[in-house]
């Protein structure tokens, strides 16, 4: 299938041919694809490409097709969160990140498949059916941004956007052998992101290489007055990338290499760490004692916020509406028929955790644990520049293997959710293979220090060939 496409190559192709021709080449692949990576393909994208060819555009993404996760609002393009309850909903506005993409000339090629309302680790809970992993179509692509990663791995888009609440960008990046970044909380505006858990989630880019992730961050990052959590940060990540990790101090949290980590995953990650050492970095073990409590705290907080956020979906204003003699019957039936099993489960658990008599016992205690987890990161990163861990404890698992066992799905997030509790940045880059399936290395940095983890990931990428192939080309 050839070497992965990147923004630079796309721009070269556009210069030689046209934006329309490049876009059509992607649309042709999408039409033939069997991985079910898209929930919607944008019919008018060709017209936008023709307009760029006719009138020109000086943006750094001019004519570049971008895939956008189906929980990010796009004006005129259906945005359903892959849920029946938002059936037929088309937003009248663009999310902040989509505005930024369009201002640089990017063309939204379509919306990517995802776990319903971003609740899942496998992209199996979508009302459009599961997305398949391009490396092995019998395996999951990860979630909840599985479509956003799979379309890159299968060369159906050069770059994409996902959202990360507890690993939902990094998990599919690891399973699909691409690069995925979860930025520092507040670095990218959440305006236009349909909320799952406001205090945890961030929009993040996925691509075939670190350079394209840096370009995407330069485009989508920055302050937005419509998001009260948005911070003012200068972004110039492209120009900070250089092949140099000499003197980089790496921390290895022992708690991230414990029970449940596949031996081949652990071996590949340690090989990567040793590679960094060969390149001039040093490493030391660090302790993060509250890691074992992070998963429980995360799910209590996330589900509690979800129960509040999803209360707005009652059939009154938009989306699916069931019949009922009065509002109470209509809303109850709408939610019962519109929400899938996993979403209903999380709403019920979150409502329970917030109910009288249990708020202090569960939710308040989870918030206290969150503070301790954040302090763990601050302490661990006080003496080192970055932390390195496996992104996921295993490679991609089989379709249907864990969907009926929610607890095992939740446990798969053990290495990613602490990052969201702390709000620090984290990137997943390919670092090896096990039985032909990709393995991801997670590099975690200090708050607002994306440049360091991007440079570390870039240097690793430049000195290895893990991301040089395509599905079906790995021995």
């Amino acid at each position: 299938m050839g070497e992965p496409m990147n923004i630079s190559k796309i721009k070269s192709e556009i210069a030689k041919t046209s934006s329309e021709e490049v876009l059509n080449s992607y649309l042709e692949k999408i039409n033939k694809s069997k991985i079910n990576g898209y929930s919607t393909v944008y019919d008018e994208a060709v017209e936008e490409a023709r307009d760029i060819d006719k009138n020109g555009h000086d943006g750094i993404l001019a004519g570049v097709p971008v895939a956008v996760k189906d929980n990010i609002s796009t004006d005129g393009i259906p945005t359903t969160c892959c849920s029946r309850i938002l059936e037929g909903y088309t937003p009248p506005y663009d999310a902040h990140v989509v505005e930024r993409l369009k201002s640089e000339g990017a063309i939204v090629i379509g919306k990517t498949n995802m776990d319903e309302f971003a609740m899942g680790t496998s992209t199996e809970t979508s009302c459009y059916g599961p997305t398949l992993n391009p490396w092995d179509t019998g395996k999951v692509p990860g979630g909840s941004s599985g479509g956003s990663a799979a379309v890159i791995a299968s060369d159906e888009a050069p770059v994409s956007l996902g959202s990360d609440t507890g690993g939902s960008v990094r998990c599919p990046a690891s399973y699909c052998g691409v690069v995925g970044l979860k930025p520092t909380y507040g670095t990218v505006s959440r305006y236009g992101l349909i909320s799952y858990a406001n205090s945890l989630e961030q929009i993040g880019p996925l691509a075939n290489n670190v350079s394209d992730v840096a370009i995407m961050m330069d485009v989508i990052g920055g302050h937005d007055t419509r998001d009260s959590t948005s911070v003012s940060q200068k972004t110039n990540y492209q120009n900070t990338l250089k092949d140099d990790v000499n003197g980089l101090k790496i921390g290895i949290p022992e708690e991230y290499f414990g029970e449940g980590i596949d031996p081949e995953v652990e071996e590949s990650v340690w090989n990567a760490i040793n590679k960094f050492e060969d390149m001039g970095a040093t490493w030391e073990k660090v302790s993060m004692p509250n890691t074992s409590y992070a998963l429980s705290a995360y799910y209590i907080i996330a589900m509690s916020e979800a129960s509040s956020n999803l209360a707005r979906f009652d059939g009154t204003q938009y989306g699916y509406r069931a019949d009922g003699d009065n509002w109470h019957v209509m809303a109850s039936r709408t939610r019962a028929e519109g929400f899938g099993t996993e979403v209903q489960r999380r709403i019920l658990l979150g409502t329970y955790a917030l109910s009288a008599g249990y708020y202090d016992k569960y939710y308040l205690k989870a918030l206290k644990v969150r503070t301790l987890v954040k302090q763990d990161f601050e302490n661990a990163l006080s003496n080192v520049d970055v932390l390195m861990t496996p992104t996921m404890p295993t490679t991609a698992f089989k379709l249907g293997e864990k969907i009926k066992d929610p607890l095992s799905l939740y446990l798969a997030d053990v290495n990613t959710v602490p990052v969201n509790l702390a709000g620090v940045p984290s990137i997943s880059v390919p670092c090896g293979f096990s039985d032909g399936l990709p393995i991801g290395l997670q590099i975690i940095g200090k708050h607002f220090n994306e440049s360091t983890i991007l440079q570390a990931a870039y240097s690793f990428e430049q000195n290895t060939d893990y991301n040089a192939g395509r599905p079906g080309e790995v021995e």
Side-chain angles (χ1 to χ4, degrees), residues 34 66 191 195 445:
K34 295 180 181 178
V66 178
Y191 175 77
S195 296

Side-chain angles (χ1 to χ4, degrees), residues 375-450:
Q375 289 173 353
D376 275 356
F377 277 97
E378 290 171 351
N379 293 336
L381 287 163
S382 63
N383 296 315
V384 298
D385 299 310
V386 298
L387 304 174
M388 292 188 186
T389 77
T391 306
M392 300 300 291
T394 66
T395 54
F397 49 87
K398 292 179 181 178
L399 285 160
E401 181 180 333
K402 298 185 178 184
I403 194 66
K404 293 183 180 178
D405 182 8
L407 188 58
S408 68
L409 272 177
Y410 301 164
L411 290 171
D413 298 330
V414 63
N415 281 4
T416 53
V417 298
V419 168
N420 296 76
L421 290 173
V424 293
S426 172
I427 192 169
S428 178
V429 290
C431 70
F433 295 92
S434 175
D435 293 328
L437 293 171
I439 295 169
L441 166 71
Q442 180 174 221
I443 307 175
I444 305 165
K446 301 171 184 176
H447 287 103
F448 305 109
N449 201 6
E450 277 80 357

Side-chain angles (χ1 to χ4, degrees), residues 165-405:
T165 310
S168 293
V169 163
R170 291 159 289 153
C171 165
S174 176
Y175 283 174
C176 292
V178 300
V179 182
L181 173 70
K182 197 290 288 185
T184 303
Y185 186 79
T187 303
V188 178
S189 170
R190 291 181 296 106
Y191 175 77
L193 174 65
I194 298 175
S195 296
Y196 161 23
N198 310 54
S199 73
L200 297 163
E201 60 197 9
Q202 275 288 268
I203 295 171
L206 297 101
N208 279 308
N209 58 76
V210 177
S211 295
D212 284 359
V213 166
I215 291 171
M216 290 288 283
M217 275 300 296
D218 281 340
V219 172
I220 67 174
H223 185 249
D224 177 18
T225 56
R226 296 165 299 186
D227 178 1
S228 61
T229 64
S230 174
V231 297
S232 183
Q233 284 282 118
K234 290 184 178 179
T235 61
N236 192 9
Y237 301 117
Q238 301 167 66
N239 293 336
T240 64
L241 297 182
K242 54 183 178 180
D243 183 6
D244 181 13
V245 292
N246 194 43
L248 183 77
K249 294 181 180 179
I250 302 167
I252 311 300
E254 297 178 272
E255 293 80 2
Y256 285 69
F257 291 82
E259 185 180 350
I261 304 295
D262 183 276
E264 290 192 39
V265 170
E266 184 170 354
E267 182 182 359
S268 290
V269 170
W270 272 110
N271 287 341
I273 294 166
N274 292 332
K275 180 68 176 179
F276 273 98
E277 191 173 28
D278 294 340
M279 293 157 56
T282 59
W283 63 268
E284 62 183 73
K285 290 189 176 181
V286 297
S287 180
M288 302 179 71
N290 295 293
T291 299
S292 60
Y293 309 114
L295 199 66
S296 300
Y298 164 82
Y299 274 103
I300 290 171
I301 294 169
M303 291 179 186
S304 297
E305 293 187 16
S307 74
S308 174
N309 282 327
L310 272 61
R312 74 193 73 174
F313 301 107
D314 57 8
T316 303
Q317 297 180 61
Y318 38 70
Y320 176 75
R321 177 188 288 189
D323 293 330
D325 295 334
N326 56 57
W327 181 87
H328 296 285
V329 174
M330 181 275 291
S332 180
R333 287 179 179 171
T334 295
R335 290 166 174 162
E337 297 171 13
F339 287 133
T341 303
E342 182 60 31
V343 174
Q344 292 185 35
R345 178 184 294 114
R346 297 194 188 200
I347 291 172
L348 288 169
L349 288 169
T351 304
Y352 177 81
L354 292 174
S355 62
Y358 295 100
Y359 179 91
D360 290 350
K361 186 177 181 180
Y362 296 113
Y363 184 68
L364 189 59
K365 191 174 288 185
L367 292 179
K368 291 177 179 178
V369 170
R370 180 179 191 167
T371 300
L372 295 175
V373 170
K374 183 172 180 287
Q375 289 173 353
D376 275 356
F377 277 97
E378 290 171 351
N379 293 336
L381 287 163
S382 63
N383 296 315
V384 298
D385 299 310
V386 298
L387 304 174
M388 292 188 186
T389 77
T391 306
M392 300 300 291
T394 66
T395 54
F397 49 87
K398 292 179 181 178
L399 285 160
E401 181 180 333
K402 298 185 178 184
I403 194 66
K404 293 183 180 178
D405 182 8

